[in-house]
């Protein structure tokens, strides 16, 4: 039943939709039409598969984390190694999909938003690969604290625009990218980095990312001969998590947990609102102003969340919990030391939650954790706390 | 006939936009009276929001200045109550949907009616997402005009649907992009206005990028009304409040002298 969402107008129950200025309806209609056409197109699917395999490095391993499992002394822990994707995170899965679509739509100017720079780097990478013009909007605050990623994007040939409006972070970068698109609706393709924004983005990004869950499902079955008992993933906008969760939503025996950053927990601490073209849970004041967020992990530092997550929360299919900065740093350390894998601070939130989760589980059970990215980018941040 | 319809029945309509509470509610109130005197027919009040998607830097900054004073929707309703003791000029709220969501759609329309707001423009709420609110409005039989926007990218099919859903007037976005001053008026206005007129007899007002008397006069040749925002807000940003009524009066003269 869940598999069929969103409906034709992009709604997941009351969530999602298209809360955008009229100017954007036409490009969104064109994008939806193109996506629906090409997602079933054999040649498109083959090309996507080709680049995912030969360029991005898929399938990524599902790795049995033996020492981490022993450390907790409970269920078997499997890590879905999205950190091994090219550019170091799951973001590339979606970027390749969207850019192949942009090429078919004849759009040569690509715009994207980025927070810490992960999606910006992935988009710049994809644009270099396919020979497309790339403009990345990034909040002024993030430009200052992520200088290395700014340089990486420039090295890849992208133009990075520093956004000076509002709180000068990710939410403002998304506003500015949408504004650019409003000014250039005909020749420009907006390559959005998460399962947020107006329809068709939440659906399309989910579909491109669900390669994570499809692979994990088969890989886990090969190991265990059954479905996993739990899935755990971090949730900012929610693209790595929806990618892992989606292929399991109709398996009622699989329990699913999304971990939000405590300082940016739209689902756990927000209320229903409208931001960036979508009705969803939003962190806002009593009078409806969007709140600024704080998380040690820039990738989770976002005031809203993908509308499908809002729906999954309300129907009770997915349980959403929080982990704070300290928990995340603990997760960062424990995985580094037990497995020799330095996780991204985003993914570290999911690792940290295992401490609570594994207490009540036994050795015959298994958990898949989405290791959405690698932690090299976070070394400087983590060093401040050592 | 609603107050907005009455305004359009008399002459080419001039609609200045200011952000409520920028830089204070007191000045907003004063500007409403002065702009009416200078020849405004309808006043558009922007309700401050942290993330006004359709706005350019000038109006974004106005929102932020108002938010520094913590101006909320409730405060603006209180302002309307005050203004209504002195004038019956039609007032139209321009606000992001999140503010209505948080306030409660039913309460919002009740309060519009109660305090004397004549119309509502929600730029990030196309008619398709209006379901719940339309139901509330029908049930309450309110007389609040719901003004929808047509863009240069709107198909004929959408123009038909938007014209049908819209009441009071139809807001034509003059060019693709966000609010702000533009050096040249879009040459698409004439064509889109005639496309809209094929579907409706409702009045059409043009906004986005109309920033001087010449442009206002030119836009008024084709449309029934002209909306001017950023050029006025820029004067407010420079604290040149006295110049606002002079500027509005120059727009009026240019439109009338067409």
């Amino acid at each position: 039943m869940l598999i069929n969402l969103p409906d034709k107008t992009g709604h997941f129950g009351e969530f999602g939709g298209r809360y955008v200025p009229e100017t954007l309806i036409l490009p969104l209609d064109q994008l939806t039409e193109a996506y629906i056409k090409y997602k079933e197109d054999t040649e498109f699917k083959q090309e996507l598969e080709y680049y995912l395999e030969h360029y991005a490095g898929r399938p990524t391993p599902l790795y049995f984390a033996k020492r981490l499992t022993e450390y907790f002394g409970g269920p078997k822990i499997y890590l879905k190694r999205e950190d091994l994707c090219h550019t170091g995170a799951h973001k590339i899965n979606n970027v390749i999909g969207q850019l192949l679509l942009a090429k078919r739509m004849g759009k040569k100017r690509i715009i994207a938003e980025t927070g810490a720079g992960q999606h910006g780097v992935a988009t710049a990478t994809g644009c270099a690969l396919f020979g497309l013009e790339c403009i990345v909007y990034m909040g002024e605050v993030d430009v200052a604290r992520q200088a290395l990623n700014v340089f990486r994007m420039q090295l890849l040939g992208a133009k990075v625009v520093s956004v000076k409006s509002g709180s000068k972070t990710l939410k403002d970068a998304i506003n500015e990218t949408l504004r650019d698109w409003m000014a250039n609706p005909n020749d420009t393709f907006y390559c959005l980095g998460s399962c947020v924004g107006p329809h068709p983005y939440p659906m399309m990004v989910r579909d491109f990312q669900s390669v994570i869950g499809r692979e994990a499902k088969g890989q886990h079955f090969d190991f265990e001969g059954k479905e996993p008992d739990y899935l755990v993933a971090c949730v900012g906008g929610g693209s790595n998590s929806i990618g892992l969760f989606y292929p399991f939503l109709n398996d009622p025996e699989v329990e699913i947990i999304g971990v939000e950053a405590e300082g940016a927990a739209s689902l756990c601490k927000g209320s229903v609102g409208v931001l960036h073209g979508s009705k969803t849970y939003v962190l806002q004041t009593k009078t409806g102003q969007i709140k600024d967020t704080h998380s040690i992990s820039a990738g989770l530092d976002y005031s809203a969340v993908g509308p499908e997550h809002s729906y999954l929360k309300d129907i009770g299919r997915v349980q959403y919990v929080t982990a704070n900065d300290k928990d995340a740093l603990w997760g960062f350390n424990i995985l580094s030391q037990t497995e020799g894998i330095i996780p991204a601070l985003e993914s570290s939130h999911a690792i940290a939650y295992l401490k609570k989760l594994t207490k009540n589980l036994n050795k015959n059970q298994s958990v898949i954790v989405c290791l959405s990215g690698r932690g090299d980018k976070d070394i400087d941040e983590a060093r401040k706390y050592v | 006939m609603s107050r907005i319809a009455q305004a359009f029945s008399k002459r080419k309509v001039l609609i200045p936009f200011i952000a409520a509470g920028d830089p204070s509610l007191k000045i907003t109130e004063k500007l409403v009276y002065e702009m009416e005197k200078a020849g405004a027919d309808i006043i558009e009040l922007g309700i401050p929001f942290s993330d006004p998607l359709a706005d350019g830097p000038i109006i974004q900054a106005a929102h932020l200045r108002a938010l520094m004073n913590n101006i909320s929707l409730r405060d603006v309703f209180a302002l309307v109550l005050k203004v209504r003791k002195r004038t019956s000029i039609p007032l139209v709220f321009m606000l992001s949907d999140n503010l209505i969501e948080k306030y409660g759609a039913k309460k919002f329309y009740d309060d519009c009616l109660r305090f004397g707001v004549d119309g509502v423009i929600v730029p990030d709420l196309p008619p398709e997402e209006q379901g719940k609110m339309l139901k509330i409005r029908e049930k309450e039989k309110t007389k609040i005009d719901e003004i929808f926007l047509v863009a240069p990218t709107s198909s004929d099919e959408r123009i038909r649907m938007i014209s049908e859903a819209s009441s009071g007037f139809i807001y034509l976005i003059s060019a693709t992009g966000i609010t702000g001053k533009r050096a040249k008026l879009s040459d698409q206005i004439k064509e889109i206005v005639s496309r809209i007129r094929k579907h409706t007899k409702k009045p059409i007002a043009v906004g986005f990028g109309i920033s001087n008397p010449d442009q206002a006069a030119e836009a008024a040749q084709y449309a029934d009304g002209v909306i001017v925002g950023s050029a006025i807000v820029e004067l407010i940003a420079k604290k040149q409040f006295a110049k606002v009524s002079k500027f509005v009066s120059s727009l009026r003269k240019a439109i009338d002298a067409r």
Side-chain angles (χ1 to χ4, degrees):
Chain A
M1 34 90 185
L2 292 163
I3 292 295
N4 292 324
L5 288 175
D7 63 17
K8 270 192 177 152
T9 54
H11 293 87
F12 303 86
E14 72 161 311
F15 300 105
R18 269 186 193 167
Y19 292 79
V20 292
E22 175 64 22
T23 311
L24 285 182
I25 298 287
L26 178 74
L28 287 168
D29 275 344
Q30 291 170 340
L31 177 61
T32 309
E33 201 183 307
Y35 174 63
I36 295 204
K37 177 178 161 193
Y38 286 113
K39 77 171 185 175
E40 303 302 339
D41 179 78
T42 311
E43 204 184 305
F44 179 83
K45 287 199 287 194
Q46 281 171 352
E47 200 179 352
L48 178 59
E49 248 168 61
Y50 173 84
Y51 283 105
L52 288 179
E53 180 185 342
H54 296 280
Y55 187 74
R58 303 208 72 90
T60 58
L62 184 75
Y63 167 69
F64 171 55
K66 185 163 174 282
R67 294 227 317 135
L68 187 66
T69 296
E70 283 165 8
Y71 175 84
F72 288 118
K76 287 185 182 169
I77 296 164
Y78 288 92
L79 303 175
K80 182 59 177 162
R81 298 291 307 274
E82 293 303 296
D83 60 318
L84 294 176
C85 286
H86 180 44
T87 72
H90 70 292
K91 293 288 183 192
I92 194 79
N93 303 330
N94 167 51
V95 165
I96 290 176
Q98 287 198 40
L99 294 186
L100 288 175
L101 194 57
K103 270 177 60 179
R104 278 167 175 73
M105 291 175 74
K107 311 255 178 178
K108 296 196 163 57
R109 181 175 180 269
I110 308 298
I111 55 173
E113 84 294 343
T114 197
Q118 295 310 104
H119 174 59
V121 168
T123 306
T125 299
C127 286
L129 172 66
F130 296 123
L132 298 162
E133 181 188 357
C134 180
I135 297 136
V136 178
Y137 288 91
M138 187 171 187
E140 192 179 43
V141 172
D142 294 328
V143 167
R145 64 184 174 191
Q146 300 288 341
L148 193 61
N149 271 343
V150 173
F151 180 70
R152 286 170 80 190
M153 287 184 269
Q154 288 164 342
L155 184 67
L156 291 158
K159 182 182 161 201
V160 179
V161 180
S162 174
V163 174
K164 294 169 175 58
S165 62
S167 58
K168 304 177 178 67
T169 58
L170 175 60
K171 108 184 146 55
D172 310 281
I174 298 177
N175 286 334
E176 221 44 47
T177 319
L178 285 166
R179 287 172 185 140
D180 178 314
W181 206 20
M182 268 180 251
N184 306 288
N186 297 317
D187 67 341
T188 296
F189 187 100
Y190 182 2
C191 181
L192 216 169
S194 194
C195 54
V196 303
H199 178 63
Y201 287 104
M203 168 180 80
M204 182 172 68
V205 175
R206 172 200 72 195
D207 292 350
F208 286 139
Q209 290 296 1
S210 61
V211 66
I212 302 173
R214 283 197 307 275
E215 285 176 6
K217 199 170 194 188
Q219 291 165 325
H220 183 273
F221 197 86
D222 288 346
F223 278 115
E224 298 289 331
K226 64 174 181 75
E227 297 295 352
D229 296 280
Y230 281 86
L231 305 177
V232 182
C234 65
V235 181
S239 70
N240 89 85
S241 48
I242 204 71
L244 175 65
F245 298 169
Y246 188 65
F248 293 92
L249 289 178
N250 287 339
D251 300 320
E253 71 274 26
V254 181
E255 297 207 41
I256 307 181
I257 297 170
V259 187
E260 295 189 285
E262 195 173 78
S266 324
L267 291 161
C268 294
K269 294 180 175 180
S271 55
V272 177
V274 171
L275 186 66
H276 298 143
S278 196
K279 180 174 282 190
T280 190
Y281 279 90
V282 175
L283 286 166
Q284 55 183 326
T285 66
K286 272 187 285 187
T287 56
Q289 305 301 335
I290 306 306
K291 277 189 188 168
D292 291 340
T293 53
H294 163 79
S295 168
I296 190 171
S297 114
L300 303 182
D301 220 346
Y302 179 53
S303 323
V305 65
E308 189 161 13
H309 285 291
S310 295
Y311 176 74
L312 294 171
K313 172 195 155 86
D314 274 16
I315 63 165
R317 177 64 187 97
V318 177
Q319 188 196 345
Y320 294 92
V321 298
T322 63
N324 64 26
D325 288 357
K326 215 176 121 194
D327 300 333
L329 283 164
W330 180 84
F332 186 80
N333 282 316
I334 203 72
L335 189 66
S336 300
Q337 286 160 23
T338 56
E339 297 289 351
I341 298 170
I342 303 173
L345 280 171
E346 291 80 12
S347 325
S348 301
H349 287 72
I351 301 290
Y353 188 72
L354 291 174
K355 196 175 179 180
K356 270 184 203 156
L357 178 70
T358 52
K359 270 184 198 155
N360 305 315
L361 305 184
N362 65 52
K363 289 184 175 172
N364 299 320
Q365 292 176 296
S366 63
V367 180
I368 298 177
V369 182
C370 188
L371 196 62
S372 57
R374 68 173 183 227
D376 307 51
K377 69 183 177 64
D378 297 315
I379 302 291
D380 276 348
E381 190 68 23
R383 262 168 73 186
K384 291 182 199 161
Y385 298 88
V386 173
Chain B
M1 202 192 284
S2 73
R3 281 196 285 230
I4 290 176
Q6 275 175 36
F8 277 97
S9 71
K10 286 176 193 154
R11 58 176 176 181
K12 294 278 182 178
V13 163
L14 173 59
I15 311 174
F17 166 97
I18 55 174
D22 167 31
S24 72
L25 287 169
K26 215 171 160 183
I27 290 175
T28 302
E29 185 187 356
K30 197 165 154 261
L31 289 174
V32 168
Y33 306 139
E34 286 178 7
M35 291 194 296
E36 181 182 17
K37 227 173 135 188
D41 304 289
I42 296 172
I43 307 276
E44 194 182 316
L45 287 177
I47 313 299
F49 182 51
S50 51
D51 297 75
L53 193 54
D55 283 310
I58 295 173
I59 294 178
Q60 284 173 38
H63 282 269
L64 288 183
R65 285 193 296 273
L67 287 176
M68 301 271 252
N69 304 326
N70 286 317
I71 303 296
S72 69
L73 188 48
R74 189 195 295 253
D75 298 323
V76 186
F77 276 127
L79 171 73
V80 171
L81 183 68
K82 239 174 150 183
V83 166
R84 278 289 167 248
K85 289 178 184 151
R86 282 189 46 187
T87 171
S88 60
I89 188 168
L91 296 173
V92 172
F93 276 4
M94 173 108 162
L95 75 174
S96 295
D97 187 47
N98 194 57
L99 297 177
I100 302 178
E101 283 287 332
K102 193 68 186 169
Y103 197 80
K106 184 180 179 323
K107 186 172 177 327
F108 174 74
Y109 283 102
D110 284 351
D111 284 357
C112 284
L113 195 63
R114 184 151 71 108
F115 295 111
V117 177
D118 300 89
V120 174
I121 306 168
V122 191
D124 60 347
L125 192 68
E128 290 93 329
E129 301 295 351
Q130 269 270 316
K132 192 171 82 187
M133 277 190 216
L134 281 178
K135 255 180 245 156
I136 290 165
R137 285 173 61 227
E138 275 160 28
K139 219 161 110 194
E140 301 297 311
K141 292 206 175 9
T142 68
K143 299 214 171 53
I144 312 300
D145 280 323
E146 193 83 25
I147 296 135
F148 288 105
L149 300 95
V150 168
T153 52
S154 302
S155 64
D156 281 331
E157 175 56 27
R158 286 192 64 79
I159 290 179
R160 192 186 57 73
M161 188 261 290
I162 293 164
S163 307
E164 224 162 80
S166 214
S167 59
F169 63 91
I170 292 150
Y171 190 135
L172 171 60
I173 299 172
S174 74
T176 56
I178 49 181
T179 62
K181 291 167 69 172
R182 288 176 174 77
K184 199 175 155 286
L185 198 65
S186 160
D187 48 17
Q188 292 171 288
I189 294 177
K190 187 181 172 184
E191 184 252 322
I192 309 171
V193 167
S194 68
R195 272 170 63 203
I196 301 173
R197 297 236 198 259
K198 278 184 204 148
H199 298 281
T200 184
K201 291 197 168 69
K202 289 173 188 169
I204 302 163
V206 188
F208 282 47
I210 298 171
S211 39
N212 63 45
D214 287 346
Q215 291 173 339
E218 200 187 329
Q221 277 181 30
Y222 313 116
D224 307 299
V226 176
I227 303 159
V228 180
S230 295
I232 296 172
V233 170
E234 203 173 40
L235 294 173
I236 297 172
K238 292 180 192 154
K239 299 200 185 301
Q240 296 171 338
F241 308 121
K243 282 197 183 160
V244 170
S245 63
K246 273 184 207 149
F247 180 65
V248 170
S249 147
S250 71
L251 294 170
R252 175 83 264 159
K253 274 186 200 133
I255 292 170
D256 291 344
R258 236 172 346 107

